[in-house]
Amino acid sequence: MRIFFFLYLLVVPTLLFSQEKKGSKSNLDMNTKYSSITDTLKKKEAKIAKIEQYQIYTLEHDTTYADTSLTLKSAYRQNYLRKDNFGLLDFPNIGQTYNTLQYSLTDFSPYPEIGFKGKHFSYLEAYDIRYYSAATPFTELFFNTTINKGQNVDSFITLNTSKNLNFSIAYRGLRSEGNYINQLVSTGNFRFTTSYFTTDKRYILNAHFTSQDISNEENGGITTPEDFESGDPDFKNRQRLQVYLTDAKSFLKGTRLFFDHAFRVNPTEGNNNLYVTHEFNYEHKFFEYNQPTVVSTVDGVAVERFGESYVANGINDQTRFEKLYNKVGLAYENSLLGKFNFFIDDYRSNYDYNRIIFKKDGTMVPDNLYLQFNNVGGQYEYQKNKWKGRFLYSRSVTNQSLSDLDAKLRYNLNDKIQFDFRYRNINKLPNNNYNLYQSSFVDYNWSNDFKNEKINSLSANIYTPWLNAEVQYTVLKDHLYFDDVSTDAQIAAQTQIVSPAQYGNVINYLSVKANKEFKFGPFGFDNTFLYQKVDQSDLVLNVPDFVTRNTLYYSSYFFKKALFMQTGLTFNYFTEYYGNGYNPVVGEFFVQNDKKIGGYANFDYYINFRIRQTRFYFRAEHFNASFSGNNYYSAPNNPYRDFAIRFGLVWNFFQ
């Protein structure tokens, strides 16, 4: 009820003030093209900024513009990640992790990271940060309701103090209680960026600072799925379902300082230019798993969910990670031939526990993993007429063996038809938590020396007014994953033990994704289909064969075009498969071949509307949950979200 009351207070004044009032020419009209009373009296027309002057760009110079339109694509982005999450499967509470349905969404880097990938879906990496150029101060306010108590907000402002210097500052915060016991989520994400260039563009700088924290109460999933699936009205209150953990918590925190800058050696820009480039990235991450009560109680029986522990209570596992990365290059640019960049980089990281563990069999688990290596490489960029390409190759010159070949090519047939091609060959070092992990749980301590992962990937995308399609073929060798290694006795005792493993055989993965939208007057029918095929000797890389999302919608203007409305019905479905389980101790998904998830339909109803630069979003999520059976899961023992009514808005200001 408070949502509708809030909407009434917000929308009605907006509608009233959005109506145009015709008056006498002698009256002073504050809604004219003049920017102030003085301008009106002097009859001097103010300069009006165009939307193209509000630029958003990446380090690879991909540029978009501020968008205040209300479309189906913007509705798909109205979520916690603020991007279209097709191919990702939400956990029951907002801000929790996601199970990956579309494996081709996985991004690879040859450099090792801290790991704990299940905690990083909402963590913004260096190349996720966007930079800005704004003709006037530009502000965006984002709000979304959550599950039970809480809110999801994101506020952002950017401004240019001059044509050459831009600043932006943003903060995203989330607090969501959830429906189940011990499921509270609290996150904070601070971003600050700056961009600068001299008037002659001899020196260019892009820099940012981020501070991010992600806190999750971890319940380990429900203990009795049969109670959830029974349809018993007593269990409609999800707090009555038993969970494995009632006071466990995981916490990820990271801070990063990053800048990328370039200096042109020749004073005046010409057909031939020489640049000195430098990229700096310092990042510190901290992961903690806390579980005060070690032994759980399930139906009156004591359960050691993660096996034997070195301590009787108060588990507090902490992992620290520091990374320092520098890349220095020399670039030659020719107006006809393109841009050639030769570079050398230096990578240093320290992954630390501040203690040494001796296992019962006498093996030692060391306290830290320090890595240092250097790469040399080159990059060629070309843009001429309808062609644009970027080709990169780098290889280590120290003891560690890693390499990266990345070739991208784009061809624009015209303004509406575009072809993208990409080939990637990576020799990747393992993430640190595969080779070293320490915990108060006895079976969660290991020290390994895994081989590098070898990844070959070829993809092609086509974008046309009639069809958008993506094809990717990937070959994986020495694939790393987490496996459920629980014995039969441990499974009977409801104990879950996972451990890193490396698959010696080759995995072949194929994905074909297509999107087509049909329009019939004010009606639209948007369809996205994904087909995946995996060729492997064992069930290691598990994905559904088919994933689909289909939306039927109606859109139109109202109140003399003061309000634009869009309403529709969305259908989501994926075929049954052995979905990966989630383990909170290591913050990772693991392979399991015991329980299948999927094969159920999920319907959402939404109604969205826009008034000027404000967009409002209403969504009845999974409204068929109450009558289609309780067989919906995000992962084994982790049910998918129940029916919920959500409200959100995005408000832009151009000052």
Side-chain angles (χ1 to χ4, degrees):
M1 190 64 193
R2 45 198 180 99
I3 293 177
F4 292 101
F5 180 69
F6 172 77
L7 179 66
Y8 174 80
L9 292 178
L10 190 63
V11 174
V12 172
T14 309
L15 274 172
L16 292 175
F17 286 106
S18 67
Q19 304 299 314
E20 294 186 2
K21 182 178 179 180
K22 295 182 180 180
S24 171
K25 293 183 179 180
S26 61
N27 293 334
L28 183 64
D29 186 0
M30 297 302 295
N31 291 322
T32 65
K33 60 186 176 182
Y34 301 104
S35 61
S36 67
I37 296 177
T38 304
D39 286 341
T40 306
L41 295 176
K42 292 182 179 180
K43 302 297 182 182
K44 292 183 178 179
E45 185 174 345
K47 293 182 179 180
I48 300 175
K50 298 180 180 179
I51 197 65
E52 292 81 7
Q53 293 177 276
Y54 297 88
Q55 297 182 352
I56 306 169
Y57 61 94
T58 68
L59 289 174
E60 294 186 351
H61 312 296
D62 293 328
T63 304
T64 57
Y65 305 104
D67 184 8
T68 63
S69 63
L70 177 64
T71 63
L72 188 59
K73 290 182 179 179
S74 68
Y76 288 151
R77 295 193 298 266
Q78 186 68 13
N79 53 54
Y80 172 58
L81 297 181
R82 302 209 62 187
K83 64 181 182 181
D84 188 348
N85 59 6
F86 177 85
L88 298 176
L89 183 60
D90 309 75
F91 264 48
N93 196 13
I94 298 167
Q96 287 186 289
T97 188
Y98 296 79
N99 216 333
T100 302
L101 302 176
Q102 181 182 344
Y103 181 74
S104 55
L105 294 176
T106 306
D107 192 23
F108 297 103
S109 168
Y111 304 102
E113 290 292 339
I114 184 175
F116 311 106
K117 291 183 292 185
K119 294 284 293 182
H120 278 77
F121 282 93
S122 61
Y123 190 92
L124 295 175
E125 303 292 350
Y127 282 80
D128 293 324
I129 301 298
R130 299 293 181 261
Y131 302 90
Y132 304 89
S133 177
T136 63
F138 171 56
T139 304
E140 181 172 275
L141 301 178
F142 168 93
F143 170 81
N144 235 10
T145 56
T146 58
I147 306 297
N148 284 335
K149 298 177 183 177
Q151 58 280 321
N152 181 17
V153 296
D154 192 355
S155 56
F156 158 82
I157 183 171
T158 183
L159 61 92
N160 274 60
T161 59
S162 67
K163 181 179 67 174
N164 308 65
L165 181 61
N166 173 273
F167 296 99
S168 79
I169 189 169
Y171 181 80
R172 179 171 66 191
L174 168 72
R175 186 176 178 85
S176 182
E177 183 181 39
N179 285 328
Y180 294 79
I181 296 172
N182 199 46
Q183 204 179 61
L184 178 69
V185 177
S186 178
T187 70
N189 179 304
F190 173 80
R191 297 101 70 196
F192 171 80
T193 74
T194 184
S195 302
Y196 172 76
F197 61 88
T198 56
T199 302
D200 60 0
K201 294 189 176 180
R202 191 176 185 185
Y203 178 74
I204 299 174
L205 167 72
N206 291 299
H208 73 255
F209 171 80
T210 62
S211 179
Q212 306 175 73
D213 59 88
I214 303 166
S215 175
N216 296 89
E217 290 183 345
E218 305 282 3
N219 61 28
I222 58 176
T223 64
T224 51
E226 57 272 14
D227 289 339
F228 170 75
E229 298 173 9
S230 67
D232 189 333
D234 290 341
F235 295 112
K236 292 297 181 182
N237 180 355
R238 302 309 189 192
Q239 295 281 326
R240 294 180 177 177
L241 289 168
Q242 289 187 92
V243 295
Y244 283 106
L245 311 171
T246 58
D247 56 6
K249 181 180 178 180
S250 66
F251 180 69
L252 174 68
K253 183 178 182 180
T255 56
R256 179 175 59 248
L257 176 62
F258 176 94
F259 58 82
D260 180 86
H261 56 154
F263 176 75
R264 191 178 66 242
V265 177
N266 46 302
T268 305
E269 185 176 13
N271 292 329
N272 296 279
N273 302 294
L274 187 65
Y275 295 89
V276 177
T277 63
H278 176 221
E279 179 181 311
F280 172 87
N281 186 350
Y282 171 76
E283 188 164 27
H284 175 269
K285 289 183 180 181
F286 171 78
F287 176 77
E288 178 182 69
Y289 178 77
N290 183 277
Q291 186 179 324
T293 305
V294 175
V295 180
S296 305
T297 303
V298 178
D299 292 329
V301 178
V303 172
E304 294 180 328
R305 181 56 175 163
F306 303 115
E308 184 184 354
S309 172
Y310 290 117
V311 297
N313 54 64
I315 286 177
N316 190 31
D317 299 333
Q318 296 182 347
T319 306
R320 291 173 174 84
F321 174 76
E322 275 188 302
K323 178 181 71 175
L324 178 62
Y325 177 77
N326 279 281
K327 182 169 76 171
V328 179
L330 188 65
Y332 168 72
E333 182 183 47
N334 179 275
S335 57
L336 180 63
L337 300 178
K339 190 173 185 179
F340 302 84
N341 185 13
F342 302 95
F343 61 85
I344 181 170
D345 68 14
D346 179 79
Y347 175 98
R348 306 181 186 203
S349 68
N350 189 38
Y351 177 85
D352 189 42
Y353 285 99
N354 291 323
R355 66 182 181 185
I356 297 174
I357 291 180
F358 291 91
K359 302 174 74 172
K360 292 180 180 179
D361 59 5
T363 58
M364 182 191 74
V365 180
D367 61 333
N368 79 317
L369 182 61
Y370 179 77
L371 294 173
Q372 179 179 356
F373 53 84
N374 300 103
N375 294 306
V376 295
Q379 178 175 292
Y380 172 63
E381 296 179 56
Y382 177 82
Q383 185 170 358
K384 195 74 172 180
N385 299 326
K386 298 180 180 182
W387 292 94
K388 180 180 180 181
R390 185 178 73 88
F391 309 92
L392 178 146
Y393 179 74
S394 65
R395 188 176 184 85
S396 62
V397 291
T398 46
N399 293 332
Q400 291 83 359
S401 174
L402 72 155
S403 62
D404 184 13
L405 172 62
D406 189 3
K408 295 180 180 179
L409 186 64
R410 172 174 294 176
Y411 176 72
N412 294 308
L413 182 63
N414 52 46
D415 293 338
K416 296 182 179 180
I417 301 177
Q418 175 182 302
F419 299 89
D420 286 345
F421 306 94
R422 186 179 188 184
Y423 173 71
R424 194 89 187 267
N425 185 317
I426 303 178
N427 188 0
K428 171 182 168 50
L429 285 172
N431 284 340
N432 288 301
N433 66 335
Y434 284 108
N435 278 333
L436 177 64
Y437 188 70
Q438 289 188 11
S439 172
S440 296
F441 292 110
V442 175
D443 292 321
Y444 283 80
N445 293 276
W446 53 75
S447 176
N448 300 310
D449 186 18
F450 286 119
K451 299 177 184 177
N452 285 12
E453 294 184 272
K454 289 84 176 177
I455 303 156
N456 269 284
S457 179
L458 180 65
S459 63
N461 302 345
I462 178 172
Y463 306 99
T464 73
W466 315 283
L467 177 72
N468 297 326
E470 304 172 13
V471 179
Q472 179 173 316
Y473 179 69
T474 302
V475 179
L476 305 172
K477 187 177 181 181
D478 296 321
H479 175 64
L480 285 167
Y481 63 101
F482 281 86
D483 194 17
D484 187 349
V485 295
S486 308
T487 64
D488 291 339
Q490 289 172 330
I491 294 173
Q494 302 189 64
T495 297
Q496 183 184 94
I497 308 297
V498 303
S499 179
Q502 188 157 43
Y503 188 60
N505 295 328
V506 173
I507 300 175
N508 294 279
Y509 167 81
L510 172 69
S511 71
V512 180
K513 182 179 177 181
N515 172 261
K516 171 64 179 175
E517 183 176 17
F518 301 92
K519 290 189 176 181
F520 313 95
F523 293 93
F525 187 38
D526 182 77
N527 304 274
T528 302
F529 298 97
L530 171 68
Y531 169 74
Q532 300 176 110
K533 179 67 176 177
V534 182
D535 182 16
Q536 56 190 344
S537 302
D538 304 282
L539 295 178
V540 173
L541 179 60
N542 298 326
V543 292
D545 291 337
F546 292 97
V547 183
T548 183
R549 179 181 65 192
N550 313 91
T551 300
L552 179 65
Y553 66 91
Y554 169 84
S555 55
S556 184
Y557 285 95
F558 297 90
F559 303 108
K560 298 181 180 180
K561 294 191 175 181
L563 180 146
F564 177 76
M565 189 262 305
Q566 185 178 95
T567 182
L569 186 70
T570 299
F571 166 76
N572 292 281
Y573 178 84
F574 62 92
T575 53
E576 280 192 332
Y577 79 110
Y578 289 110
N580 289 343
Y582 181 69
N583 184 285
V585 178
V586 294
E588 295 273 5
F589 283 89
F590 62 91
V591 174
Q592 61 85 30
N593 298 310
D594 296 319
K595 182 177 176 58
K596 287 187 175 182
I597 64 172
Y600 62 86
N602 178 2
F603 288 93
D604 298 339
Y605 171 75
Y606 73 92
I607 178 170
N608 307 326
F609 50 93
R610 176 173 63 88
I611 303 172
R612 290 189 173 182
Q613 287 131 218
T614 308
R615 287 153 286 169
F616 301 88
Y617 300 88
F618 280 96
R619 180 172 291 270
E621 292 184 345
H622 198 188
F623 67 82
N624 61 310
S626 59
F627 56 82
S628 61
N630 295 334
N631 63 334
Y632 43 88
Y633 288 88
S634 300
N637 297 97
N638 287 276
Y640 182 71
R641 292 178 186 171
D642 293 315
F643 167 65
I645 296 178
R646 306 273 306 286
F647 162 71
L649 65 87
V650 178
W651 200 342
N652 295 113
F653 302 90
F654 298 87
Q655 300 169 342

